[in-house]
Amino acid sequence: SSPRLLGTMIGRQAHADPWGLLATVDTDVYGEPENPSTSASRRKLLHAYGEYCDATRGRFGTTKDGHNIPSTRHLVHPIQNLFFGEPNAKRWRRAMDDALKKDSKND
């Protein structure tokens, strides 16, 4: 009998390349018959994740200095490397960081 895998750590790779590692995790790891519709494209994923962020931002109140918990920056951190390995990935990260700096005054 072959040894059974009980678990694995994927944190660093999930942060470095979330799309490459997780886009097909439902079928590859969990044996689901198909992946969710958000795995069809990064655009679909971003649209759905944007709705999630809108519903979640500030859900747990604000800090003493008036910042939302969770903040926009905390919510978008998991998708910072969504375009890892793609042309202009650095441009994506830079544009997202610039937008977050502008938004930090409203957070």
Side-chain angles (χ1 to χ4, degrees):
S1 109
S2 62
R4 183 175 166 199
L5 178 66
L6 298 177
T8 185
M9 292 185 63
I10 62 167
R12 288 185 180 156
Q13 185 62 25
H15 180 268
D17 183 13
W19 185 259
L21 181 67
L22 301 173
T24 59
V25 74
D26 291 80
T27 57
D28 296 346
V29 176
Y30 296 109
E32 294 293 324
E34 60 186 40
N35 288 301
S37 62
T38 53
S39 70
S41 71
R42 289 176 177 97
R43 183 182 300 263
K44 284 187 175 199
L45 176 72
L46 286 170
H47 179 76
Y49 196 70
E51 290 176 352
Y52 165 78
C53 289
D54 287 343
T56 306
R57 182 175 170 229
R59 181 177 179 186
F60 301 110
T62 57
T63 61
K64 291 179 183 179
D65 56 356
H67 294 285
N68 287 312
I69 304 171
S71 68
T72 302
R73 183 168 288 278
H74 283 111
L75 288 166
V76 299
H77 185 78
I79 60 169
Q80 176 182 5
N81 293 319
L82 186 62
F83 293 94
F84 175 81
E86 295 293 320
N88 297 312
K90 189 174 184 177
R91 179 185 272 177
W92 157 261
R93 289 190 309 274
R94 190 177 309 127
M96 190 168 68
D97 191 55
D98 289 346
L100 287 169
K101 285 176 185 173
K102 289 177 187 173
D103 187 59
S104 68
K105 295 176 183 167
N106 300 322
D107 199 20

